[in-house]
Amino acid sequence: MKASGRSVRPFQCWMMAFIIVVSGSNLTVSFAGAPYLTGVIEDGDSQAIDMPSLPLTFRSQIEWLSPEGSQVEAGDVVVRIEPGNLIEQAEAYDAAYDEQLVAAETAQAEHTLAIIDAETALEVAKTSRDLAELDARVPATAVTQLIYDRAQLALENAENALRLAEEALANAERKFDELKPVLDIRVGEAAATRLRIHEALDRLAIHAERSGIVIYAENEFSGMKIFSGETLMPGHPIVTIASREQLQFVFWVHDADINQLSQGQKLLIVADALPELTIEAEIDWIGNHASTRETWSQGGYFKLVAKPMSAVPDNFIPGMAISAEVL
């Protein structure tokens, strides 16, 4: 067994203060000194793809993922989300929208016809009033008193009928003015719901916005890699599309070791697949809050990011497992 470059006899191990933490992709080993870290290479400017927020569901299932490590181009489908009942819901909301549209058109047509009828009745009332007015102008001396009185009564009735016709038209127009905004709201709500469902269907196929390598994210609770068929909540990371433009080194450090590390400390990075290559890096950022991992050890883990201090070797690629020694 080795610790800080010195040989240690087996019976001495129990006397040393040490912590070993094993995880799906990270291991922190501390021997009473600076911890030995493991992590991954990441692109600091990668495209992050999260689980979209879909209507009518609290969690969504991943239907298909582009193979991890595969090279994709902008526009390629990288993730497909299981539609669940969204297709049936879209059909139902399409039908509901059509029903609202037909109902609105029917109601408007009926009220328009009512206005036309009221306008026609008003014209008839005006004509009747004009004729009655002509008869009423005949002097009482030119006709009998009975005829004169009937003419005056007919004019009064015609004027009342005209007022009623005007009120009927105004009422029909007012009802139409009151109804139209209500119909517009109902149709608009049906259209908005329909659009929301169809936009959700469009979000089921998630495309790459840039060229790069597909890197699967980790489940925030288990620490294991995301896989097809997994069910996640909205906003949970699924994959990243990474390039070599802004490479950085990411580690998760157990809370028992985090106090031994600080911003600005130097690390010696080595890739697990390329043990002959090393590069120095500097701790650039340490998270303030620890997160737990179900399949890791007890305690919390702090995210740590280190930036390379020189050009990164060409064969260092995002997603590659690395280890680091504190210098």
Side-chain angles (χ1 to χ4, degrees):
M1 182 175 180
K2 293 281 186 178
S4 303
R6 301 190 301 273
S7 297
V8 181
R9 297 177 183 175
F11 66 85
Q12 292 178 313
C13 292
W14 67 272
M15 299 177 62
M16 299 182 61
F18 68 92
I19 300 172
I20 299 180
V21 178
V22 180
S23 73
S25 60
N26 292 280
L27 170 66
T28 302
V29 183
S30 176
F31 291 100
Y36 182 77
L37 310 175
T38 66
V40 294
I41 301 174
E42 286 189 0
D43 174 13
D45 189 34
S46 61
Q47 176 195 350
I49 296 178
D50 301 335
M51 177 62 73
S53 178
L54 302 175
L56 308 174
T57 181
F58 177 65
R59 298 169 68 91
S60 301
Q61 186 177 35
I62 300 172
E63 182 180 277
W64 175 84
L65 291 172
S66 183
E68 186 173 33
S70 61
Q71 178 73 31
V72 295
E73 302 299 327
D76 290 349
V77 176
V78 180
V79 181
R80 290 189 186 277
I81 307 300
E82 178 68 35
N85 65 347
L86 281 179
I87 295 176
E88 292 79 3
Q89 291 291 333
E91 293 173 350
Y93 283 118
D94 285 344
Y97 170 74
D98 292 339
E99 290 176 2
Q100 286 291 347
L101 200 58
V102 170
E105 291 173 350
T106 301
Q108 290 190 57
E110 291 175 350
H111 281 72
T112 300
L113 182 60
I115 291 174
I116 293 174
D117 290 342
E119 290 173 342
T120 302
L122 178 60
E123 292 302 319
V124 172
K126 286 180 179 178
T127 302
S128 298
R129 191 276 314 270
D130 292 342
L131 292 174
E133 188 176 24
L134 289 174
D135 292 338
R137 287 179 181 177
V138 177
T141 56
V143 295
T144 64
Q145 186 63 40
L146 179 60
I147 293 176
Y148 179 81
D149 291 341
R150 286 178 177 176
Q152 298 303 315
L153 179 60
L155 176 59
E156 183 179 349
N157 290 337
E159 289 177 341
N160 289 333
L162 177 59
R163 284 193 295 272
L164 291 175
E166 290 172 340
E167 291 175 0
L169 176 58
N171 187 50
E173 291 174 338
R174 183 177 65 256
K175 286 184 177 180
F176 182 84
D177 292 340
E178 292 173 351
L179 177 67
K180 192 175 185 308
V182 176
L183 297 176
D184 290 343
I185 290 173
R186 291 175 182 173
V187 173
E189 289 177 346
T193 304
R194 174 175 175 266
L195 178 62
R196 186 163 60 97
I197 295 296
H198 282 278
E199 287 178 342
L201 287 174
D202 293 338
R203 293 199 301 273
L204 296 179
I206 305 176
H207 301 261
E209 298 175 355
R210 56 187 292 179
S211 61
I213 300 171
V214 176
I215 306 296
Y216 290 178
E218 291 183 352
N219 188 299
E220 295 177 347
F221 303 100
S222 68
M224 306 299 290
K225 287 280 189 176
I226 297 297
F227 58 88
S228 295
E230 190 165 6
T231 301
L232 302 172
M233 296 176 62
H236 193 292
I238 301 177
V239 302
T240 57
I241 309 300
S243 68
R244 300 189 70 261
E245 297 301 321
Q246 297 186 34
L247 293 183
Q248 61 186 20
F249 310 113
V250 177
F251 305 92
W252 285 95
V253 184
H254 193 270
D255 54 15
D257 297 304
I258 196 64
N259 290 333
Q260 302 180 58
L261 301 169
S262 60
Q263 189 174 356
Q265 278 185 300
K266 304 298 188 295
L267 304 176
L268 184 64
I269 308 292
V270 58
D272 293 0
L274 304 167
E276 71 282 1
L277 294 178
T278 60
I279 182 174
E280 288 191 12
E282 182 178 86
I283 297 177
D284 181 68
W285 178 84
I286 300 176
N288 294 323
H289 304 285
S291 59
T292 58
R293 296 293 189 270
E294 293 178 356
T295 58
W296 298 7
S297 71
Q298 295 181 350
Y301 292 84
F302 291 83
K303 186 176 181 179
L304 181 150
V305 177
K307 297 294 182 67
M309 299 178 65
S310 58
V312 179
D314 292 340
N315 39 10
F316 274 41
I317 60 174
M320 182 176 286
I322 56 173
S323 56
E325 177 184 353
V326 179
L327 296 179

